[in-house]
């Protein structure tokens, strides 16, 4: 039987936030989550690594979840400047984003690296959110579904189950641009992702699939209503408590 998919609204703060403002933002989101008293959805914020511990401490007991934006594949060692999944866990994180297109572009991360990072998340007891998505050139060339399939097959480790995996579909051309695919385009991508997951994950029907790319309060209802969309991965709009909570409410 398919596992019930609890919607997840996740905020990716990216390289934004200094302590005072970040704590204020996290507390405002936590307050909204507390007031919402939601049992039917999960809300997560992923601050930059420097703030994970402070944010986790500030929102403790509120129901707001805290995650990392990336992790190294190894648990420790000579990797200057990197952060391990174990360190994120130690700082209070429960989730970690891996394979974001900005990591793939800025740091040349390939599917195999992303897969190793997802395994690292499991090793540390974190839930990985594995990101995939096509570029504009790939979409215009009609390669969207093929690209998603390749990324899924390369980025998801063996042993994945619905309880241990979240997948985020983020078309690269929709990130930070104000452009989004149409609802049928999102539904088609998500349906294909779920179909491909069927060959990788035993209980694929239970895997949560998030949409990301220019999600805001005003388009959240429409995007979240698309078939097979189980939540959102939010960038810019996650930096304003009201806007982010409006998306959480739209579930
Ligand atoms: P925007 O919501 O700013 O488009 O960013 C999406 C994103 O990359 C989330 O990971």
């Amino acid at each position: 039987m398919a596992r019930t998919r609890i919607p997840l609204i996740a905020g990716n703060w990216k390289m934004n936030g200094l302590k005072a403002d970040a704590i204020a933002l996290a507390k405002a989101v936590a307050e909204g989550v507390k007031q919402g008293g939601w049992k039917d959805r999960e809300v997560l914020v992923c601050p930059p690594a420097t703030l994970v511990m402070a944010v986790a401490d500030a929102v403790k007991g509120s129901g707001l979840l805290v995650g990392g934006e990336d992790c190294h594949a190894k648990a420790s060692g000579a990797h200057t400047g990197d952060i391990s999944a174990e360190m994120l866990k130690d700082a209070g994180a429960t989730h970690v984003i891996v394979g974001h297109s900005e990591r793939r572009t800025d740091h040349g991360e390939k599917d195999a690296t992303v897969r190793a990072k997802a395994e690292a998340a499991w090793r540390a007891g974190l839930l990985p959110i594995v990101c995939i998505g096509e570029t504009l050139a790939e979409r215009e060339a009609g390669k969207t579904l093929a690209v998603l399939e390749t990324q899924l097959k390369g980025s998801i480790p063996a042993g994945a189950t619905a309880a241990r995996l979240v997948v985020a579909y983020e078309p690269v051309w929709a990130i930070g641009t104000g452009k989004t695919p149409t609802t049928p385009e999102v539904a088609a991508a998500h349906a294909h992702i779920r179909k491909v997951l069927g060959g990788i994950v035993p209980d694929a029907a239970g895997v949560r699939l998030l949409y990301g790319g220019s999600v805001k309060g005003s388009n959240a209802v429409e995007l979240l209503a698309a078939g097979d969309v189980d939540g959102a991965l939010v960038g810019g709009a996650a930096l304003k408590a009201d806007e982010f909570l409006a998306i959480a409410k739209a579930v």
Side-chain angles (χ1 to χ4, degrees):
M1 209 180 79
R3 174 175 171 273
T4 309
R5 304 197 302 258
I6 299 168
L8 172 64
I9 301 299
N12 173 9
W13 290 6
K14 309 192 179 184
M15 197 170 73
N16 294 293
L18 300 179
K19 196 163 60 179
D21 286 348
I23 299 299
L25 169 61
K27 282 189 169 165
V29 173
E31 187 53 36
V33 168
K34 214 161 142 185
Q35 280 176 13
W38 296 308
K39 297 272 177 278
D40 60 348
R41 72 202 73 181
E42 293 175 350
V43 185
L44 167 74
V45 291
C46 299
T50 50
L51 293 168
V52 169
M53 190 179 285
V55 166
D57 286 347
V59 307
K60 202 168 270 171
S62 67
L64 176 63
L65 302 164
V66 180
E69 296 180 8
D70 176 55
C71 65
H72 194 276
K74 297 267 169 59
S76 62
H79 303 285
T80 302
D82 278 312
I83 309 274
S84 72
E86 282 78 0
M87 290 169 176
L88 290 171
K89 171 89 173 175
D90 188 46
T94 51
H95 296 57
V96 63
I97 300 166
V98 295
H100 192 281
S101 69
E102 287 149 17
R103 299 291 315 177
R104 292 177 186 261
T105 303
D106 294 356
H107 300 272
E109 291 186 7
K110 302 280 181 250
D111 291 339
T113 309
V114 178
R115 186 172 67 233
K117 290 181 177 205
E119 280 174 334
W122 292 347
R123 186 188 62 222
L126 300 179
L127 182 57
I129 300 173
V130 176
C131 301
I132 56 169
E134 83 286 1
T135 62
L136 185 60
E138 288 164 343
R139 173 161 285 265
E140 285 175 346
K143 292 183 185 157
T144 297
L145 301 185
V147 166
L148 298 180
E149 184 157 350
T150 303
Q151 289 183 337
L152 280 173
K153 287 179 174 164
S155 305
I156 295 178
T161 63
R164 302 175 84 197
L165 176 70
V166 175
V167 173
Y169 168 54
E170 299 205 304
V172 178
W173 53 272
I175 295 176
T177 58
K179 293 182 194 150
T180 61
T182 63
T183 309
E185 283 169 342
V186 173
H190 280 228
H192 188 68
I193 291 167
R194 199 171 296 289
K195 188 174 141 220
V196 174
L197 284 175
I200 306 174
V201 182
D203 50 354
V207 178
R208 287 178 290 176
L209 307 184
L210 313 185
Y211 168 78
S214 297
V215 179
K216 41 191 186 205
S218 57
N219 63 15
V221 168
E222 193 186 338
L223 288 165
L224 289 169
D228 274 307
V229 175
D230 307 307
L233 183 54
V234 184
L239 298 173
K240 291 187 195 126
D242 289 353
E243 189 75 15
F244 186 57
L245 286 166
I247 298 167
K249 283 182 190 138
V251 167

